[in-house]
Amino acid sequence: MLLKVLYRKITPEKMRHFVYWNLIERLYLFWTELKCKWFLIVPAKNEKQKAYRIMEMTEISPFPYLWKTEYDKQHYMVNMDTGNGLPYVNHNGKKLYYKKGTLLSVVESMYRTSLLEQDKRSAHCYINNYEELRGKTLLDIGAAEGNFALDVIEYVEHVYLFECEKGWVEALESTFAPWKEKVTIIQKYVSDIDDENNITLDTYFKDKKKENLYLKMDIEGYERKALKGAVNLLTFSKNIGGSVCIYHLRDDELVIKNMLKTYGLEIQIAPGYLFMCWSMRHGILRFNRNT
């Protein structure tokens, strides 16, 4: 730890970035390629080793699945709405909008990724069956373009979209305009503190109904803070469930699993792996309490 602090203190930031991207990243890549080749030769003994084997047959990707090539071969049409200036795709018969100014090629790539994530075969799939959400209230924490909420909009009673980025809020307003009576957008970070830019779930739902809730949480490594701010919600809500991303930080799976167990929730890790941060990690932790 002392050496790390000293290194950061005496080494200019630009030099640190150069070292990271030109040395450390290359070493990680070399080691990953070596493991992929090794498990192509040596019989894989578990699912993690099989995932490395598959990446040798396809490519190094967050999605180590043979069926990923089904999406790679597809072209997804991106349109431009001349009324609001936002790009969009037709997603299962609904318009799914993206941030203004996003290149159409980037939109296509982002949309492909969201489809890969929510394929029922993916380790990033939030829920097995949308029927599980019928009549529930969805808390979409880290909504981004809102593809998951759009998929279940006809099933749920109400959706709370928590998204702090202004560009995404504009896109969400356009996407969910046909269902505006059952959608609430909150432009704040979900955290363990309450201030001008942050809010806790316990504070936001203090005077709201606390039953039949489903939390989808994907906030780039801040899941722990958001869960710390939801102690009352997770402890006392009736018929609560959810899915939380557990791959952003190396020990997310263990830490988040132990946190949720203290609230008396049943825990299940979604099967399969994602290749994230140069390692195979489980993608989603699902939880529920049906009382």
Side-chain angles (χ1 to χ4, degrees):
M1 180 62 72
L2 180 61
L3 287 175
K4 184 177 180 181
V5 172
L6 185 63
Y7 168 74
R8 292 182 65 86
K9 187 174 182 178
I10 66 176
T11 308
E13 185 177 358
K14 286 185 178 180
M15 180 61 72
R16 295 201 306 269
H17 282 296
F18 178 83
V19 170
Y20 183 82
W21 290 109
N22 290 277
L23 179 60
I24 298 176
E25 283 284 301
R26 291 187 182 215
L27 288 173
Y28 276 130
L29 177 61
F30 173 76
W31 179 241
T32 300
E33 290 175 338
L34 195 63
K35 285 196 284 187
C36 291
K37 293 181 186 301
W38 174 256
F39 290 119
L40 190 62
I41 300 169
V42 177
K45 297 180 181 180
N46 53 49
E47 290 300 316
K48 188 178 292 188
Q49 293 177 2
K50 288 178 183 177
Y52 280 109
R53 182 187 182 98
I54 288 171
M55 284 204 302
E56 176 60 22
M57 294 185 284
T58 55
E59 63 177 347
I60 294 177
S61 159
F63 305 98
Y65 319 119
L66 287 174
W67 53 263
K68 174 183 176 293
T69 58
E70 299 171 15
Y71 290 93
D72 294 336
K73 296 173 183 177
Q74 294 295 321
H75 170 64
Y76 302 98
M77 179 66 68
V78 181
N79 306 284
M80 184 64 69
D81 191 319
T82 56
N84 57 27
L86 298 176
Y88 71 93
V89 296
N90 284 305
H91 178 63
N92 298 328
K94 305 180 182 74
K95 288 184 177 181
L96 177 62
Y97 285 90
Y98 287 77
K99 286 189 291 186
K100 186 176 293 183
T102 308
L103 294 175
L104 302 190
S105 59
V106 174
V107 171
E108 182 180 14
S109 178
M110 293 171 68
Y111 181 61
R112 179 181 287 108
T113 298
S114 68
L115 293 177
L116 278 163
E117 288 180 347
Q118 296 314 305
D119 188 292
K120 295 297 186 288
R121 298 166 289 183
S122 171
H124 200 293
C125 185
Y126 295 128
I127 196 166
N128 290 320
N129 191 329
Y130 294 152
E131 280 291 339
E132 296 176 37
L133 296 184
R134 190 170 293 282
K136 291 184 177 292
T137 295
L138 171 64
L139 284 58
D140 192 339
I141 303 161
E145 76 274 20
N147 63 297
F148 178 65
L150 188 60
D151 277 334
V152 302
I153 192 66
E154 305 291 357
Y155 294 83
V156 297
E157 181 180 281
H158 197 87
V159 176
Y160 292 94
L161 299 170
F162 291 87
E163 177 53 54
C164 57
E165 194 171 335
K166 184 177 179 180
W168 279 130
V169 170
E170 181 184 18
L172 289 170
E173 289 172 344
S174 294
T175 293
F176 291 96
W179 304 275
K180 59 183 179 180
E181 74 285 349
K182 63 188 302 186
V183 175
T184 303
I185 301 175
I186 303 95
Q187 192 178 347
K188 282 195 173 188
Y189 293 98
V190 177
S191 186
D192 56 349
I193 60 173
D194 295 298
D195 59 25
E196 184 180 352
N197 299 311
N198 299 275
I199 193 164
T200 67
L201 292 177
D202 278 343
T203 296
Y204 188 79
F205 285 91
K206 183 177 181 180
D207 299 316
K208 294 180 176 62
K209 185 175 68 172
K210 301 179 184 63
E211 60 182 26
N212 293 323
L213 303 179
Y214 191 90
L215 284 68
K216 166 257 169 181
M217 191 175 290
D218 184 353
I219 45 177
E220 306 300 323
Y222 289 90
E223 287 81 4
R224 302 179 193 186
K225 283 183 172 290
L227 292 171
K228 285 180 181 178
V231 173
N232 292 329
L233 197 71
L234 293 169
T235 302
F236 300 111
S237 295
K238 297 180 179 179
N239 298 321
I240 189 171
S243 54
V244 182
C245 287
I246 53 172
Y247 59 83
H248 292 116
L249 303 178
R250 186 169 295 276
D251 58 348
D252 263 350
E253 180 176 343
L254 178 62
V255 172
I256 292 175
K257 179 168 64 176
N258 288 337
M259 286 180 67
L260 292 175
K261 279 184 176 181
T262 63
Y263 304 133
L265 299 162
E266 296 181 17
I267 306 298
Q268 177 190 27
I269 304 297
Y273 288 90
L274 300 171
F275 186 66
M276 294 289 187
C277 303
W278 300 105
S279 63
M280 290 293 174
R281 302 180 181 184
H282 286 123
I284 297 294
L285 180 151
R286 298 171 184 151
F287 66 88
N288 70 84
R289 182 176 57 240
N290 295 319
T291 57

